[in-house]
Each structure stands twice: as structure tokens, then as C-alpha cells.
């Protein structure tokens, strides 16, 4: 049989698949909102330095950075206090109206404070609000991950990180150096407006965002205890320690003679390398297993961040650029891989994505905040010469070795880190059915789309119902069904069901 266009796309790892209704509008809203929140922090980092507060000279830049990190922690945590209430808020128009009004007010307050003298400390509160609201919005939008394939999710991660980095580190960094403050303020407000407009389009009644929060198919998360330390606690420890290292390394360059251009260049180059590495190592979303994600983690994140730390003493006199590029590369790759891991885990245990994303990035933010605080202490009290950088590099290497290679991580990753869904008999039946379909798909070399069709056929769905579910034509569904029958050497729905039941 001649391959259909969709089958050819499914076989190619680089083709972007069609997205469900409203998906790209929500991605656009996420890019704009994340850029607006990050820009508050980056702009403050570019502009702030030492100031006098309560009669003492303080490093207001460090306070601002810690407030942003604390805001992230608060934003991720508040979404998990009451999951059912959070889900109800997602469909509440009044809540979203207030949310975006607060964003406008926060940006206006930031630029008003930046234009006045002696008001640096209130900027710290602005950073907290920006971090918290950005984190909460990220968690809210993460629910749309339930509606897409691994390949499309990989594409989405690359698009979000690339666009956000270009906007914040590219466009606005140039404005920071050349344009008046009013121009930056207007464009910053335009970002918030764009986020609101995209969200309004993406949250229409028939969108994947509304469908994601309206479905009851997700189950609560529970964990399987094993020994003194549960597997999921080992995962949290690994994520937290790596994030703490990134938070520490984020502060240390403040002690070096680093200009804005050099800092921005290192972020942009690091992001390009990280996203290229991410796209290649997870090409086409084929690595949609927790154990494979962990393999990518220790094979790439560990060596890159370790080398970044060890390069410190060698680059002390050259604006720290080689180490900063590798540090940025490791951080971007780490965040992208963490997002992919959340997506894979939520699918594996049939949990709501917003729950998994919020908990993982909460641990990441707590670790980053603690690393920030330790880094600020070192920055204030230690002379960062070649010997100090050597000690820092060696400490990072030993610490990461301990948490990366001494946790039985490979084994725990294969069991989804001990995370299990609360399953009723119906849920167990559905999971067993999917596992049998996946086994047949591997046995007969079915494509990803054919596997999805097989799962729906196993549930007794007819071509029209499958067409509505997958948002493809009935003719395309029939073509996939014919391909499944041919590869499995069956001639009727009854024979296929017997094959699945064997």
C-alpha cells in the first residue's frame, strides 16, 4: 500500500505535527508571559548594584535575585495547595482578568520605581510578584501537554525556550543599552498585552486548554515507599542539588568584570547549543521513557555543568565567557529535559500535567534559591581568586558525582521513580490495554500514529470517533486501520481484538 502523507510525516522525526485547537495560542501566551516575568528579573540585574538601606550598604541586586527565586517557589507551591480549586480557577474569567491586570500594574510599578531615586528596595517586592505570577502561569498552561505527542512536545520546548531567550536576552538587552526607559516599558507592557490576547484566543470553549481542565481522566499521584528513602525523594534530591549548583554558579560571575554584552552573548550562545543538543538527543520525541530521559540527563547535563565549574580558574581573566557559555548551556538543557521528564512521567502514571510540572519545578526552584543564597554569601565574604575557583569546581564535581551515580537512579527511573497512579479497576484495565497495544506496535513496527489508532480500536472506537479524537479525516483513519491490518496480518476487527487479547 502507498504511504499516506500523514504516515510519511509520522515516520520523519523532524516534521511538526498538527496541534489540537488553541494549542499554539497557549504556547504564544506562555512565551509572552514568561518573557515578561523574566525580563523584570533580568532588567533589575542589569540596572541594580549597591545601595544604602537602613544605614548599611547592601547588594540590592542579590536581594532582587533572591526575591525572584522566592517568588518562583511561592508560585509553584500555591498551585498545589488545593488542586481541585486550582482547576476551577482555570475556567474562571474573573480570575484571569484580575491576573492580567496585576501583571500590567506590576510592570508599571517596576518602571516607575526604576525612574525614581532611592526606591530600590520596593523593586524587590516587584521581583517576587513577577516570579510568582510567571510560575503560576507556567503551571496553568502546562496542562495542554496532555493533548500532544512526544514529538510535538519536543518542538514546543525548543520553541518556548528559543523565543523567550531571544526576547529577553536578545531584543531587550539591546534596548537596555541603547533605548530610553520609556521604550522598554512600552514594549514590556506590550508583552503582557500579547500574553493576554493569546490566552484569550487559546482558552476558547473548544480548546485543548479547556478540555485538559475539564476532563476527569487524570488520577491523583501517590508514591511507592521503598526502604528508608523513597525513590521519588531520590529524584527530588537530584533535581534540587543540580538546581542549587546552577543557583550558586548564577551568582558567582557577579564578582568578575563582566559586561552586559558578554553576559548576554554567553546566554544566547549557550541557549543555541543547549537547544540543538536537546533536539538531537530527543529527536522526534522518540525518547518518551523515563529511563531514557535519565540517560540523557547523566550523559549530558552532568559533564557540561561540571566542566563549567572546573573552567572557573582558567577563565578568571577572560570575562568568564567559556564557563558562562557552558553554564548557560547546561541550565537550558537541564530545564528543557526536566520539562520533558514531567511530560513523560505524567503520561506514564496518567496524572494531570499541572501537578507533575508544578512539583518538579518547585523542587528545582527551591534548590536554585538555596544555591543563590549560598552564592551570595560566598560573593560577600570570599575573595574569588584562582584558588577559590579551584575549590568551587572540585566541590561541584564531587557533589554532583555523589547524587548522580550513587542513587541507583537507573533502576528507579525504570519504575518511574516509585510514582504510581491511584487506579480503580477501570483504570487498571485501560493501562493493561495500552500496554498490550504498545507491545503489538513494537512487534509489528507500527508508526506512532498507527499505535494511537490501535489503542482506540482496542477500545471499540469506530473510524468517525477516532477521526474526532485525533482531529484527522475519516479517510486518514481508514488508511491507518488498513496499514495496521496489513502489518498484523489480520482481516477483521474481531481478529484484531483476539490478537490484542492474547
Amino acid at each position: 500500500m502507498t504511504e499516506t502523507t500523514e504516515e510519511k510525516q509520522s515516520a520523519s522525526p523532524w516534521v511538526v505535527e498538527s496541534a489540537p485547537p488553541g494549542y499554539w495560542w497557549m504556547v504564544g501566551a506562555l512565551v509572552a508571559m514568561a518573557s515578561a516575568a523574566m525580563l523584570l528579573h533580568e532588567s533589575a540585574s542589569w540596572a541594580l548594584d549597591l545601595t544604602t538601606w537602613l544605614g548599611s550598604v547592601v547588594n540590592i541586586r542579590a536581594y532582587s535575585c533572591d526575591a525572584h527565586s522566592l517568588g518562583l517557589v511561592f508560585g509553584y507551591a500555591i498551585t498545589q495547595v488545593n488542586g481541585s480549586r486550582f482547576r476551577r480557577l482555570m475556567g474562571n474569567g474573573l480570575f484571569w482578568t484580575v491576573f492580567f491586570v496585576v501583571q500590567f500594574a506590576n510592570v508599571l510599578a517596576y518602571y516607575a520605581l526604576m525612574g525614581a531615586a532611592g526606591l530600590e528596595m520596593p523593586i524587590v517586592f516587584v521581583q517576587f510578584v513577577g516570579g510568582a505570577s510567571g510560575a503560576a502561569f507556567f503551571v496553568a498552561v502546562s496542562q495542554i501537554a496532555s493533548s500532544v505527542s512526544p514529538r510535538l512536545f519536543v518542538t514546543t520546548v525548543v520553541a518556548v525556550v528559543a523565543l523567550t531567550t531571544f526576547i529577553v536576552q536578545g531584543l531587550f538587552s539591546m534596548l537596555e543599552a541603547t533605548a530610553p526607559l520609556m521604550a522598554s516599558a512600552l514594549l514590556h507592557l506590550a508583552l503582557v498585552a500579547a500574553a493576554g490576547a493569546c490566552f484569550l484566543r487559546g482558552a476558547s470553549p473548544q480548546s485543548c486548554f479547556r478540555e485538559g481542565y475539564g476532563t476527569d481522566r487524570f488520577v491523583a499521584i501517590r508514591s511507592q515507599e521503598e526502604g528508608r528513602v523513597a525513590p521519588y525523594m531520590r529524584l527530588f534530591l537530584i533535581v534540587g542539588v543540580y538546581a542549587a549548583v546552577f543557583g550558586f554558579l548564577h551568582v558567582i560571575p557577579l564578582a568578575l568584570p563582566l559586561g552586559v554584552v558578554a553576559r548576554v552573548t554567553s546566554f544566547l550562545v549557550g541557549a543555541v547549543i543547549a537547544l540543538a543538543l536537546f533536539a538531537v538527543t530527543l529527536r522526534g520525541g522518540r525518547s518518551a521513557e523515563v529511563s531514557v530521559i535519565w540517560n540523557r540527563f547523566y550523559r549530558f547535563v552532568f559533564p557540561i555543568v561540571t566542566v563549567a565549574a572546573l573552567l572557573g580558574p582558567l577563565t578568571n581573566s577572560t570575562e568568564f565567557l567559556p564557563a558562562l557559555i557552558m553554564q548557560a548551556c547546561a541550565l537550558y538543557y537541564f530545564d528543557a529535559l526536566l520539562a520533558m521528564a514531567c511530560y513523560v512521567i505524567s503520561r506514564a502514571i496518567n496524572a494531570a500535567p499541572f501537578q507533575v510540572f508544578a512539583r518538579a519545578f518547585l523542587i528545582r526552584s527551591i534548590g536554585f534559591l538555596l544555591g543563590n543564597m549560598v552564592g551570595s554569601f560566598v560573593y560577600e565574604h570570599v575573595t574569588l581568586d584562582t584558588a577559590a575557583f579551584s575549590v568551587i569546581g572540585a566541590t561541584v564535581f564531587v557533589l554532583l558525582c555523589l547524587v548522580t551515580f550513587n542513587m541507583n537512579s537507573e533502576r528507579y527511573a525504570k519504575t518511574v521513580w516509585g510514582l504510581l497512579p491511584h487506579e480503580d479497576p477501570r483504570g487498571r484495565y485501560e493501562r493493561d490495554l495500552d500496554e498490550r497495544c504498545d507491545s503489538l506496535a513494537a512487534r509489528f513496527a507500527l508508526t506512532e500514529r498507527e499505535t494511537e489508532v490501535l489503542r482506540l480500536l482496542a477500545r471499540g472506537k469506530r473510524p468517525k470517533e477516532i477521526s474526532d479524537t485525533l482531529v484527522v479525516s475519516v479517510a486518514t483513519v481508514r488508511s491507518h486501520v488498513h496499514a495496521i491490518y496489513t502489518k498484523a496480518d489480520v482481516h477483521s476487527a474481531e481478529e484484531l481484538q483476539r490478537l490484542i487479547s492474547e
Side-chain angles (χ1 to χ4, degrees), residues 76 138-139 142-143 145-146 150 153 157 218 221 235-236 239 278 282 287-290 293-294 297 334-364 416-417 419:
Y76 289 125
F138 170 72
V139 173
S142 69
Q143 187 71 1
S146 64
F153 188 77
V157 171
F218 299 114
I221 300 174
L235 174 62
F236 287 167
V239 172
F278 179 75
L282 295 176
S287 305
E289 297 179 6
V290 181
I293 298 296
W294 171 248
F297 184 87
F334 173 79
D335 283 341
L337 203 60
L338 184 59
M340 190 68 193
C342 292
Y343 167 83
V344 173
I345 289 174
S346 66
R347 284 167 61 98
I349 66 175
N350 195 34
F354 83 87
Q355 292 181 308
V356 180
F357 276 82
R359 297 180 191 194
F361 279 88
L362 172 61
I363 300 301
R364 184 253 191 226
V416 198
W417 298 93
L419 297 174

Side-chain angles (χ1 to χ4, degrees), residues 46-211:
W46 296 331
L48 299 177
D49 200 353
L50 299 178
T51 189
T52 301
W53 186 56
L54 299 179
S56 302
V57 177
V58 297
N59 184 357
I60 193 66
R61 180 191 295 178
Y63 285 12
S64 172
C65 191
D66 288 343
H68 175 77
S69 296
L70 186 60
L72 291 176
V73 172
F74 180 82
Y76 289 125
I78 200 68
T79 64
Q80 298 301 293
V81 172
N82 189 321
S84 60
R85 177 176 295 178
F86 179 79
R87 292 180 65 168
R88 289 195 298 272
L89 283 176
M90 295 303 95
N92 188 316
L94 177 60
F95 168 80
W96 286 113
T97 300
V98 172
F99 178 87
F100 283 106
V101 168
V102 169
Q103 306 316 304
F104 272 104
N106 202 48
V107 172
L108 287 172
Y110 172 76
Y111 286 98
L113 292 169
M114 289 295 291
L119 295 176
E120 290 86 355
M121 284 307 294
I123 293 177
V124 172
F125 180 72
V126 171
Q127 298 302 311
F128 175 84
V129 174
S133 57
F137 191 79
F138 170 72
V139 173
V141 175
S142 69
Q143 187 71 1
I144 66 174
S146 64
S147 62
V148 298
S149 68
R151 180 183 295 112
L152 184 54
F153 188 77
V154 169
T155 303
T156 302
V157 171
V158 172
V160 169
V161 176
L163 291 173
T164 304
T165 305
F166 172 76
I167 292 171
V168 176
Q169 302 294 348
L171 175 62
F172 276 89
S173 65
M174 292 186 291
L175 291 175
E176 186 74 20
T178 60
L181 191 64
M182 180 61 70
S184 295
L186 291 176
L187 287 174
H188 201 157
L189 290 170
L191 276 178
V192 179
C198 289
F199 181 84
L200 185 64
R201 288 292 302 273
S204 61
Q206 304 302 320
S207 67
C208 60
F209 179 80
R210 289 290 183 88
E211 182 181 346

